Amino acid sequence: NAGVTQTPKFQVLKTGQSMTLQCAQDMNHNSMYWYRQDPGMGLRLIYYSASEGTTDKGEVPNGYNVSRLNKREFSLRLESAAPSQTSVYFCASTATPEAFFGQGTRLTVV
Amino acid sequence: TQLLEQSPQFLSIQEGENLTVYCNSSSVFSSLQWYRQEPGEGPVLLVTVVTGGEVKKLKRLTFQFGDARKDSSLHITAAQPGDTGLYLCAGASDYKLSFGAGTTVTVRA
């Protein structure tokens, strides 16, 4: 019953550091997404992967890269973290059109 | 600029009152979903509407999809404190799922 699993749950980075957020789903969904959530902004799409082997930019892709490692896993990388990337990050997978979300990663960049 | 505009941004009502949340866009969507999110958790799907003009009822919640498939509303009858949360609408177009900024609903006992 895992659904969508994100790691880590919390992270503090210094400006300029890099890190990768991991996401895995066990529902055999084709499409996966990365969103960030900031107060008053709802969920903004960073990148998505319609199927294994494809990735596309969303609304706010700058400063991020993604890898769809296989059907289960979709990772988000910050190469050089900036304070503006302080946010809560959510991974989701879809059985079109319904999305199932992980519990989120709270990232603080100082 | 959000693709989907939700209103109001905040709503605080007394237990037993009714409320309506709106979701509007200039884009046409193949489907529209409503989610509810509680603090520290990811959003959880409430309903999906697909057909223009569709109305779906889920106990005290009524969801409507506009005829042109650009807008939707969520109506809660006789709200309860357990209805408190962030309500998000999301529109699906091809493989992209775009969200509104959300409406924070507080139901006071």
Side-chain angles (χ1 to χ4, degrees):
Chain A
N1 271 21
V4 179
T5 303
Q6 288 183 237
T7 55
K9 286 189 167 47
F10 300 94
Q11 184 72 50
V12 179
L13 288 179
K14 293 183 178 178
T15 298
Q17 285 186 318
S18 62
M19 80 160 296
T20 300
L21 280 63
Q22 307 286 353
C23 175
Q25 53 96 4
D26 62 3
M27 295 173 283
N28 203 36
H29 290 164
N30 285 323
S31 301
M32 297 185 73
Y33 303 78
W34 276 105
Y35 293 90
R36 59 177 289 173
Q37 186 171 36
D38 303 293
M41 301 291 290
L43 289 158
R44 291 185 292 169
L45 182 62
I46 305 171
Y47 271 93
Y48 65 103
S49 170
S51 60
E52 185 179 354
T54 69
T55 60
D56 286 285
K57 295 179 181 179
E59 305 164 55
V60 288
N62 292 345
Y64 305 95
N65 285 300
V66 291
S67 295
R68 182 74 183 267
L69 304 168
N70 47 55
K71 192 171 186 179
R72 288 187 66 245
E73 299 172 286
F74 189 37
S75 62
L76 178 70
R77 183 159 177 85
L78 287 70
E79 290 291 351
S80 179
S84 61
Q85 293 179 305
T86 293
S87 188
V88 181
Y89 291 84
F90 286 99
C91 175
S93 69
T94 65
T96 308
E98 294 90 342
F100 296 83
F101 285 83
Q103 292 218 304
T105 297
R106 186 172 294 275
L107 175 67
T108 303
V109 183
V110 298
Chain B
T1 305
Q2 304 270 169
L3 191 61
L4 290 144
E5 298 290 335
Q6 283 188 242
S7 62
Q9 189 176 357
F10 299 97
L11 198 52
S12 179
I13 60 170
Q14 202 69 33
E15 182 177 5
E17 294 181 336
N18 301 332
L19 69 96
T20 302
V21 176
Y22 299 93
C23 176
N24 296 291
S25 175
S26 57
S27 300
V28 175
F29 296 105
S30 56
S31 67
L32 196 140
Q33 295 112 56
W34 285 93
Y35 293 79
R36 192 176 93 181
Q37 184 179 21
E38 300 197 19
E41 302 288 329
V44 176
L45 179 72
L46 293 173
V47 78
T48 298
V49 284
V50 177
T51 307
E54 182 176 1
V55 177
K56 276 193 176 178
K57 293 195 174 185
L58 196 67
K59 296 183 182 177
R60 294 177 294 101
L61 279 60
T62 301
F63 304 86
Q64 195 157 7
F65 201 13
D67 290 340
R69 291 187 291 141
K70 293 182 180 181
D71 55 88
S72 180
S73 63
L74 156 61
H75 182 80
I76 301 179
T77 304
Q80 299 174 0
D83 295 325
T84 292
L86 176 66
Y87 289 82
L88 295 154
C89 66
S93 179
D94 294 326
Y95 292 99
K96 286 182 68 171
L97 189 60
S98 301
F99 282 80
T103 296
T104 299
V105 172
T106 304
V107 183
R108 305 184 305 275

